[in-house]
Amino acid sequence: MSDLILHHYPASPFAEKTRLILGYKRLAWRSVTIPIMMPKPNLVALTGGYRKTPVLQVGADIYCDTALIARVIEAHAPERTLYPAESAGEAPLIAQWADFTLFWTAVPYTLQPAGMAAIFAGAPPEVLKAFGADRAAMTTGLHWPTVSDATAQLHNHLVGSNSGWPTGAPSWAAARRASRTSRWRTACGS
């Protein structure tokens, strides 16, 4: 198989998920750092217009969604599986829940001043403004919960049931995502 090439930027939680999967699988991969916001001329040319991160390149094949990227990596290296037989049906559901419901619930913490300062340490105010405009264009129509609403939602998602997880014990990927979310919350002073 061709080299695995990950197009990403360090602060992306979805790129972090992919880097963790690659590390868990003990796979060698090459890194191409892309800009955190538009313009991304090299990435857009490579993907035919897709602007999000990460993107996995395997030879001439391009994979643009972390769920798909996880399946491609699993097919490439099935040992140390991401989808153990006993949770094969639950693992993709938990990963989808973590990628969408939990992620978008945690975003308000990241957008607090302390979170933005951690992501953009030392960046001038115009970079923060440009990032805000870039993400606003990317998420048009999305309802952002307030920090207090997000706190209640996170509590409900993570400790609202007996196990703290929607379907019992989490997959390793969902557990890592929740751990990272908790660190963001702590880093952002919430």
Side-chain angles (χ1 to χ4, degrees), residues 82 84 86-87 90-95 97-98 102 157-158 163-179:
L82 300 173
E86 63 274 8
S87 64
E90 293 176 339
L93 295 173
I94 293 171
W97 169 79
L102 185 58
H157 290 312
L158 298 176
S163 67
W165 298 94
T167 60
S171 71
W172 78 269
R176 180 65 176 146
R177 168 72 88 221
S179 170

Side-chain angles (χ1 to χ4, degrees), residues 14-189:
F14 291 101
E16 175 70 0
K17 174 183 171 181
T18 303
R19 290 187 299 263
L20 287 168
I21 291 170
L22 290 164
Y24 175 77
K25 295 281 198 172
R26 297 182 180 132
L27 293 173
W29 55 282
R30 295 174 39 205
S31 174
V32 174
T33 302
I34 62 173
I36 195 169
M37 62 189 151
M38 295 296 272
K40 301 179 182 186
N42 295 335
L43 182 71
V44 171
L46 178 70
T47 62
Y50 188 83
R51 60 162 288 168
K52 295 180 183 177
T53 189
V55 170
L56 181 66
Q57 179 181 354
V58 184
D61 296 318
I62 305 299
Y63 303 96
C64 297
D65 173 79
T66 54
L68 175 60
I69 290 169
R71 290 192 304 270
V72 167
I73 293 170
E74 180 75 8
H76 174 70
E79 57 284 341
R80 298 196 69 178
T81 186
L82 300 173
Y83 309 107
E86 63 274 8
S87 64
E90 293 176 339
L93 295 173
I94 293 171
Q96 182 181 19
W97 169 79
D99 284 351
F100 295 98
T101 303
L102 185 58
F103 175 80
W104 288 110
T105 301
V107 163
Y109 291 106
T110 307
L111 298 179
Q112 294 302 301
M116 295 297 284
I119 293 169
F120 293 101
E126 51 273 7
V127 170
L128 295 172
K129 185 176 178 181
F131 178 78
D134 180 73
R135 290 312 189 260
M138 198 167 79
T139 57
T140 301
L142 183 67
H143 169 72
W144 294 89
T146 64
V147 172
S148 60
D149 287 345
T151 300
Q153 290 171 10
L154 281 171
H155 183 272
N156 184 50
H157 290 312
L158 298 176
V159 295
S161 67
N162 290 335
S163 67
W165 298 94
T167 60
S171 71
W172 78 269
R176 180 65 176 146
R177 168 72 88 221
S179 170
R180 185 172 173 84
T181 300
S182 175
R183 285 199 320 265
W184 283 341
R185 185 175 177 197
T186 301
C188 296

